[in-house]
């Protein structure tokens, strides 16, 4: 894939970038290792001060960063600006809390003194996707840098301007040379970086195919890896739910980021008693959304990221219809479609009566199409919620405590949100089970993921 910015609103190539050569990458890995030693010696307070500078830059220039995101991947400018501001919040959280999260942790063993100590590993390769081009990178970088690790970002090939802007933020914030660098490389060069002894660990957010490849190489190299992959999150609505809230958040959860979010609500599992009401309200809510130029304030949904995405979502929707599903709203390319300069717009769609052999039943649909299912009981809702290869997020809308508890305990997912939509928060672990990946970002688990959790036992302290 060429490293280039192509505007999804028009399909036009905005800028081409020259990839770093192997020897340039080798030098950058060397700088990363050197910076790791400098960063570790600095201590928490100094690192925190630099990260707060980065947060200040992110906040002060949120709209400028937002415009770069919108240009390269098509999310609305308002969502992109909010993303930059969320990055500032995330960075401040780790500046304020990393020392506490990584403090020596005393354990009673009978020795004079024993404790866990969290030590950084060194350079970490972060392979990141385009869909939240700032947040994905910052949610890795903030805890990693606070722990004393350094970051080598291999961003998606379609967001090089975002990747370079993020590197620039850390330089301007005062981080030592090499602490956070963007490698402009294609995915075919990831293996070479992973096999470099100086690179100690990897994290990948993206597709199963990419995750499996990176994990296999890390397995051969005996290096830790975190995988954040796709999802097909259930969104259960039971009769006692606040339907206004469920429809409002269901619409947002399915269509945020132009429908291209790993934790989007993708499968709406609705109790039969309220199915018709929910269906009618969701349809009205989807049809009120404004699809158009992502730079305009009134736009709710911009284009999909590229022509391949538009074709894929269109084909998955058509396949469901061919298999017997009903398309009750939208679900088609908008305007003349994937033409060279038309932009990659897609009207949000709703499918129901989806048979089990349709692709969307077991695949992730990475675009604004809601899948509606009708169930008679909470048992059926949970069984259906778990009938997927994925296990990332989940949500249940219900005022019934037993139903809430059952969802929390029985849904196979990395997160369950009750009466709200799935989101990420810097203080809470984020990740999945099943084919959604393993390991966690964010929270205590996230910052410790790239630490050597050293067991320290001191039998006698004095001579
Ligand atoms: P992708 O094609 O897997 O790309 C993600 C990153 O992996 C890019 O940097 C890409 O580089 C790289 N890559 C691709 N193939 C690779 C390979 N064989 N070896 C090494 N690196 C490789 O995924 P995407 O289409 O950009 O992102 C969408 C997917 O990400 C969805 O499934 C979504 O659910 C998932 N996602 C998950 C989370 C989460 O937290 N769980 C969050 C966001 C997105 P190139 O661009 O150069 O190909």
């Amino acid at each position: 894939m060429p490293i280039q910015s192509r505007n999804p609103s028009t399909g036009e190539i905005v800028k081409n970038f020259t990839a770093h050569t192997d020897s340039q990458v080798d030098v950058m890995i060397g700088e990363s290792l050197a910076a790791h030693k400098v960063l570790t010696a600095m201590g928490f307070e100094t690192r925190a001060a630099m990260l707060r500078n980065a947060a200040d830059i992110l906040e002060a220039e949120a709209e400028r960063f937002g415009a770069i995101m919108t240009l390269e991947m098509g999310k609305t400018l308002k969502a992109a600006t909010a993303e930059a501001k969320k990055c500032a919040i995330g960075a401040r959280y780790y500046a304020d809390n990393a020392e506490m999260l990584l403090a020596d942790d005393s354990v009673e063993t009978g020795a004079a003194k024993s404790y866990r100590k969290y030590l950084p590993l060194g350079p970490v390769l972060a392979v990141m996707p385009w869909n939240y081009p700032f947040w994905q990178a910052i949610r890795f970088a903030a805890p990693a840098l606070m722990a004393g690790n350094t970051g080598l970002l291999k961003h998606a090939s379609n967001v090089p301007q975002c990747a370079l802007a993020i590197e620039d933020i850390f330089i301007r914030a005062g981080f030592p040379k090499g602490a956070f660098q963007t490698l402009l490389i294609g995915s075919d060069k990831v293996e070479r970086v992973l096999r470099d002894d100086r690179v100690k660990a990897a994290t990948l957010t993206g597709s199963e195919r990419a995750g499996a490849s990176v994990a296999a190489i890390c397995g051969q190299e005996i290096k830790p890896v975190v995988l954040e992959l796709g999802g097909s999150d259930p969104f259960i609505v039971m009769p006692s739910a606040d339907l206004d809230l469920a429809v409002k958040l269901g619409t947002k959860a399915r269509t945020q980021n132009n429908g291209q979010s790993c934790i989007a609500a993708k499968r709406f599992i609705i109790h039969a008693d309220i199915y018709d009401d929910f269906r009618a309200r969701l349809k009205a809510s989807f049809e009120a959304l404004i699809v158009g130029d992502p730079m305009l304030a009134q736009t709710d949904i911009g284009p999909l990221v590229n022509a391949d995405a538009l074709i894929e979502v269109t084909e998955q929707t058509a396949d469901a219809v061919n298999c017997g599903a009903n398309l009750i709203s939208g679900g088609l390319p908008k305007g003349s479609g994937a033409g060279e300069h038309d932009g990659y717009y897609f009207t949000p769609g709703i499918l129901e009566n989806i048979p089990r052999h349709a692709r969307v039943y077991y695949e992730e649909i990475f675009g604004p199409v809601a899948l509606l299912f009708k169930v008679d009981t909470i048992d059926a809702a949970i069984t259906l919620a778990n009938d997927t290869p994925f296990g990332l997020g989940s949500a249940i809308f219900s005022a019934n405590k037993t139903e809430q508890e059952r969802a929390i305990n029985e849904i196979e997912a990395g997160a369950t949100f009750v009466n709200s939509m799935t989101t990420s928060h810097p203080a809470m672990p984020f990740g999945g089970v099943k084919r959604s990946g393993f390991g966690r970002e964010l929270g205590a688990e996230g910052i410790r993921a790239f630490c050597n959790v050293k067991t320290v036992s001191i039998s006698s302290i004095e001579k």
Side-chain angles (χ1 to χ4, degrees), residues 1 127-132 136 139 154-158 185-187 190 204-210 213-214 228-231 261-262 266 364 366 392 430 436 441:
M1 202 188 270
V127 183
M128 291 292 151
W130 48 265
N131 65 333
Y132 289 96
Q136 299 289 354
R139 83 179 184 186
K154 182 273 177 275
H155 220 323
S157 292
N158 58 328
I185 55 172
S187 57
V190 166
L204 178 138
T205 300
S207 63
E208 271 186 62
R209 192 179 41 79
S213 167
V214 165
E228 299 285 1
L229 308 179
S261 171
C262 54
K266 291 174 185 137
E364 176 179 39
F366 215 55
L392 194 54
F430 185 94
S436 293
E441 290 191 286

Side-chain angles (χ1 to χ4, degrees), residues 236 269 374-386 406:
I236 298 173
I269 300 171
K374 192 193 291 188
V375 291
D376 291 321
T377 61
I378 184 69
D379 291 284
I382 290 172
T383 301
L384 186 53
N386 290 336
R406 288 204 53 194

Side-chain angles (χ1 to χ4, degrees), residues 226-277:
V226 170
L227 295 185
E228 299 285 1
L229 308 179
S232 188
D233 288 3
F235 185 101
I236 298 173
V237 187
M238 297 301 287
S240 60
D242 175 342
L243 268 202
D244 287 339
L245 183 71
V247 170
K248 182 173 150 226
L249 293 185
T251 303
K252 184 174 177 196
R254 178 57 281 202
T255 61
Q256 64 178 342
N257 216 36
N258 307 344
Q260 303 162 121
S261 171
C262 54
I263 49 168
K266 291 174 185 137
R267 296 176 299 133
F268 291 78
I269 300 171
I270 314 299
H271 192 279
D273 290 356
I274 50 161
Y275 184 88
D276 290 346
D277 196 4

Side-chain angles (χ1 to χ4, degrees), residues 312-332 346 349-361 365 369-371:
E312 176 76 351
V313 174
T314 306
E315 284 182 358
Q316 284 175 305
T317 307
D319 169 79
V321 172
N322 285 339
C323 290
N326 300 335
L327 183 62
I328 62 166
S329 182
L332 293 166
F346 187 86
I350 303 176
L351 285 162
E352 66 176 358
N353 299 325
I354 301 139
R356 206 163 183 276
H357 61 281
R359 285 177 57 195
V360 292
Y361 191 96
I365 184 159
V369 180
L371 314 180

Side-chain angles (χ1 to χ4, degrees), residues 7 61 85 91 115 154 161 171 187 215 220 256 266 273 283 301 304 321 336-337 370 394 429:
N7 185 348
E61 299 174 33
K85 289 182 179 165
Y115 54 97
K154 182 273 177 275
Q161 296 193 49
I171 293 169
S187 57
Q220 287 167 2
Q256 64 178 342
K266 291 174 185 137
D273 290 356
K283 187 170 183 300
I301 302 185
L304 297 183
V321 172
S336 48
S394 59

